[in-house]
């Protein structure tokens, strides 16, 4: 079972309202058995996103963009993605949520080494004197080739090779994360030139509820306590109750709005209330990362794949989808219909941003959706990219397309690779060296490259399903094109499914 498969399964075992899908009770899904599992749609609101007004760089245009920040339009997406500073209140919330992390890094945990390009800091209690964080993060998306791209980048002599950690999107201690880079710290001190190290964790881009567990501990702990208490109640309907009434245990878990009885999720939201506002975001992974790094430079790289291609690749890759829906086109139809319909229902109640960030936490009916519609939501690139751009700025966020990174034309591939190297300040690369780095696909991270370039045919996706997905993703792609200033992010050359 692959890591990302385990992550999706583990949220059922550790987070929210999973009792809903148990029917008659049994072992609590909230209990951590100490095993190997780690806590690993948009409604078409814009009628015609392609008719959005052109962006205006003038002062009047800027005011227009800012005024529309709360609107579900491409202009609103541009406004929400503008770089901003965390407020004092937001910093206080993040520090309260992550005391261990902030205690391990400057200013509490040491003093930044300003002479180091890579973010390293001096600590008195460390024998080697310094700790280091990665200089860059390849954040995703899944099944899009980010790890394969990083395999190429890591062949550069000034890049220290390191793998994925999934620290930021899982509930892991900062101390262990810093220890992973001890070897880099020693190598960087011994080298006669500046070295950098990266983290290529594809689960970090899309900050769904499952992929941002470290920020939801209060909610999780409250729901866990509630769920355990409910298990002591009988699995019977109270005498005299109308037909179809829930059992006492289910009523305890789910709540009863008519009688004003809060369920476990309601109790969790009472101690950890949603922070969304219309057109806004909850505090999530990019906010936490920005706060931890303070004023130090950090570079973000995202590799995005045409949405239907990525979604189909994920469906084909993870066995649990074929087991639940079937392996062929009919199974993919059922998978798409279930996920899109569930997300659109959620969005009609809570809005797009809210449902993208906390779908399964809103109500037991959404938690009960198979794997919480995770793959559909993780393909909503724009809603998550807004946070990365807002926290790090467009100058520090490089977004590439899978179709270009793995293009059949070596010239196109090398252009994308050079963009990544330039982004990391590794510009002094000869054409011969670039050829060698591009050839890395033949010997390193072959599986990731193959997954990213896997094609599907018309037989794999029924036209009606393709049309439904195209309509679902159209507003997201309009937002993406507006935020990144290029129509290529609508994938206009992608005429439905690819040819074999």
């Amino acid at each position: 079972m692959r890591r990302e498969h385990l992550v999706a399964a583990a949220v059922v075992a550790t987070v929210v309202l999973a009792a809903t899908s148990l029917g008659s009770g049994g072992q609590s899904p909230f209990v951590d058995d100490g095993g190997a599992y780690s806590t690993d749609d948009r409604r078409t609101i814009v009628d015609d996103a392609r008719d959005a007004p052109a962006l205006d760089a003038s002062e009047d245009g800027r005011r227009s963009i800012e005024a529309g920040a709360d609107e579900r339009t491409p202009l609103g997406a541009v406004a929400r993605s503008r770089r901003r500073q965390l407020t004092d209140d937001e910093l206080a919330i993040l520090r309260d949520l992550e005391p261990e992390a902030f205690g391990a890094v400057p200013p509490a945990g040491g003093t930044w080494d300003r002479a180091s390009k890579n973010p390293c800091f001096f600590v008195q209690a460390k024998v080697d004197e310094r700790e280091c964080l990665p200089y860059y993060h390849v954040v995703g998306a899944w099944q899009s080739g980010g790890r394969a791209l990083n395999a190429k980048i890591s062949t550069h002599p000034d890049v220290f090779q390191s793998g994925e950690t999934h620290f930021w999107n899982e509930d892991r201690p900062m101390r262990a994360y810093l220890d992973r880079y001890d070897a880099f710290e020693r190598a960087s001190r011994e080298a006669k030139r500046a070295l950098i190290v990266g983290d290529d964790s594809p689960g970090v881009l899309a900050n769904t509820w499952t992929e941002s567990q470290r920020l939801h501990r209060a909610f999780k702990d409250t729901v866990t306590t509630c769920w355990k208490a409910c298990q002591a109640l009988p699995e019977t309907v109270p005498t005299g109750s109308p037909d179809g009434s829930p059992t006492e245990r289910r009523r305890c878990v789910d709540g009863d709005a008519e009688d004003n009885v809060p369920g476990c999720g309601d109790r969790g939201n009472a101690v950890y209330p949603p922070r969304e506002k219309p057109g806004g975001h909850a505090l999530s992974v990019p906010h936490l990362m920005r706060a931890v790094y303070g004023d130090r430079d950090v570079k973000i790289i995202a590799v995005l794949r045409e949405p239907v291609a990525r979604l189909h690749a994920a469906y084909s890759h993870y066995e649990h989808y074929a087991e639940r829906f079937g392996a062929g086109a009919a199974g993919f139809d059922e998978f798409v219909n279930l996920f899109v319909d569930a997300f659109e229902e959620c969005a009609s109640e809570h809005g797009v941003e809210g449902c993208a960030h906390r779908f399964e936490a809103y109500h037991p009916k959404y938690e009960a959706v198979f794997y919480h519609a995770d793959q559909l939501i993780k393909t909503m690139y724009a809603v998550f990219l807004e946070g990365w751009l807002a926290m790090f700025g467009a100058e520090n966020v490089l977004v590439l397309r899978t179709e270009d990174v793995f293009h059949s034309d070596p010239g196109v591939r090398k252009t994308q690779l050079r963009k990544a190297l330039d982004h990391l300040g590794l510009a002094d690369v000869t054409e011969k060296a670039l050829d060698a780095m591009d050839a890395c696909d033949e010997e390193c991270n072959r599986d990731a490259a193959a997954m990213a370039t896997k094609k599907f045919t018309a037989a794999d996706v029924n036209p009606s399903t393709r049309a439904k997905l195209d309509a679902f993703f159209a507003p997201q792609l309009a937002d993406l094109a507006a935020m990144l200033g290029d129509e290529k992010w609508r994938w206009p050359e992608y005429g439905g499914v690819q040819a074999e």
Side-chain angles (χ1 to χ4, degrees):
M1 205 180 262
R2 296 291 291 271
R3 193 213 69 84
E4 57 268 35
H5 186 160
L6 298 179
V7 168
V11 71
V12 180
T14 57
V15 193
V16 291
L17 308 181
T20 305
S21 60
L22 293 184
S24 60
Q27 172 65 33
S28 167
F30 296 105
V31 176
D32 184 356
D33 64 3
Y37 293 121
S38 63
T39 54
D40 189 52
D41 331 38
R42 170 96 180 249
R43 194 179 183 87
T44 306
I45 297 175
V46 181
D47 291 334
D48 189 357
R50 294 181 183 274
D51 291 335
L55 301 185
D56 186 349
S58 67
E59 183 66 16
D60 288 342
R62 185 193 65 78
R63 290 198 187 100
S64 175
I65 289 172
E66 299 299 340
D70 289 346
E71 299 178 5
R72 295 312 313 162
T73 65
L75 289 177
V78 171
R80 292 188 299 275
S81 66
R82 283 190 179 279
R83 187 171 188 176
R84 69 175 182 86
Q85 299 295 317
L86 288 165
T87 67
D88 290 343
D89 180 60
E90 288 172 330
L91 286 169
I93 291 171
L94 289 167
R95 288 168 180 151
D96 183 58
L97 290 171
E98 279 283 4
E100 186 268 341
F102 286 97
V105 301
T111 305
W112 290 114
D113 179 1
R114 298 292 177 178
S116 172
K117 174 182 177 179
N118 199 92
C120 296
F121 55 94
F122 297 104
V123 287
Q124 292 183 345
K126 181 104 174 151
V127 174
D128 289 337
E129 295 185 353
R130 292 197 315 170
E131 300 274 20
C132 296
L133 290 165
Y135 175 70
Y136 70 94
H137 295 265
V138 183
V139 295
W142 282 117
Q143 287 81 45
S144 299
R147 286 177 293 183
L149 173 64
N150 191 52
K152 295 182 179 185
I153 293 171
S154 296
T155 62
H156 191 285
D158 292 343
V159 179
F160 188 86
Q161 293 191 10
S162 179
E164 60 189 89
T165 69
H166 291 279
F167 163 79
W168 297 96
N169 59 314
E170 296 182 6
D171 195 354
R172 300 182 179 185
M174 175 63 79
R175 177 75 269 150
Y177 187 58
L178 293 172
D179 287 346
R180 285 188 61 113
Y181 298 103
D182 281 352
F184 163 76
E185 195 282 328
R186 290 191 294 272
S188 66
R189 279 189 288 114
E190 295 167 1
K192 302 299 183 182
R193 62 189 186 281
L195 299 181
I196 60 173
V197 67
D199 180 347
D200 62 340
S201 299
V204 174
L205 172 67
N207 323 126
T208 64
W209 185 261
T210 306
E211 297 282 13
S212 51
Q213 287 299 296
R214 61 191 317 108
L215 297 172
H216 310 314
R217 294 189 186 107
F219 182 98
K220 181 169 61 176
D221 291 347
T222 300
V223 170
T224 299
T225 300
C226 174
W227 192 93
K228 289 179 179 178
C230 293
Q231 305 317 298
L233 298 177
E235 192 63 73
T236 57
V237 177
T239 303
S241 297
D243 291 344
S245 296
T247 66
E248 291 189 50
R249 186 186 72 84
R250 290 254 41 98
R251 187 169 182 264
C252 175
V253 172
D254 298 343
D256 189 329
E258 291 186 3
D259 291 341
N260 200 30
V261 175
C264 293
D266 298 321
R267 296 178 189 276
N269 280 324
V271 299
Y272 182 74
R275 296 194 185 93
E276 293 85 12
K277 60 181 179 180
H281 292 286
L283 291 173
S284 195
V285 174
H287 306 84
L288 175 62
M289 187 185 290
R290 179 67 277 169
V292 165
Y293 274 83
D295 64 353
R296 291 309 306 265
D297 286 342
V298 57
K299 301 295 184 180
I300 307 298
I301 299 175
V303 183
L304 308 182
R305 184 177 185 177
E306 193 277 334
V308 178
R310 197 218 75 82
L311 186 64
H312 192 273
Y315 179 82
S316 302
H317 181 62
Y318 301 124
E319 296 175 357
H320 53 280
Y321 294 119
E323 292 170 357
R324 167 65 172 80
F325 300 106
F332 188 65
D333 291 348
E334 185 179 350
F335 162 86
V336 168
N337 287 330
L338 173 65
F339 283 13
V340 170
D341 293 350
F343 188 89
E344 290 189 343
E345 179 182 352
C346 181
S348 71
E349 297 173 353
H350 304 289
V352 171
E353 282 84 6
C355 293
H357 285 99
R358 53 187 299 135
F359 177 80
E360 61 265 41
Y362 275 122
H363 192 276
K365 66 182 178 181
Y366 299 126
E367 193 285 328
V369 174
F370 193 67
Y371 278 79
H372 312 145
D374 62 342
Q375 297 304 332
L376 182 76
I377 297 173
K378 289 176 182 179
T379 317
M380 298 172 64
Y381 306 136
V383 73
F384 297 110
L385 193 61
E386 286 175 10
W388 293 100
L389 290 168
M391 287 296 98
F392 295 94
E395 69 276 16
N396 292 313
V397 179
L398 175 66
V399 189
L400 302 173
R401 300 195 319 170
T402 300
E403 293 78 9
D404 301 327
V405 172
F406 298 98
H407 201 280
S408 58
D409 183 345
V412 176
R413 290 198 310 271
K414 288 189 289 184
T415 296
Q416 307 309 303
L417 180 55
R418 193 174 285 282
K419 286 181 181 179
L421 298 174
D422 289 348
H423 184 62
L424 301 178
L426 303 170
D428 190 16
V429 178
T430 66
E431 194 64 27
K432 182 178 180 181
L434 198 66
D435 287 340
M437 297 174 76
D438 178 58
C440 177
D441 282 344
E442 299 301 322
E443 53 189 82
C444 66
N445 223 333
R446 184 177 303 185
D447 288 346
M451 174 58 64
T453 55
K454 182 175 185 246
K455 298 181 187 297
F456 59 98
T457 67
D460 297 315
V461 181
N462 287 325
S464 60
T465 298
R466 174 79 208 199
K468 184 169 187 172
L469 287 172
D470 285 345
F472 180 87
F473 287 123
Q476 283 286 306
L477 299 188
D479 288 357
L480 196 64
M483 287 190 294
L484 300 179
D486 196 324
E487 286 296 298
K488 73 179 183 181
W489 294 105
R490 296 180 191 267
W491 279 271
E493 80 285 9
Y494 209 96
V497 295
Q498 292 176 335
E500 264 187 298

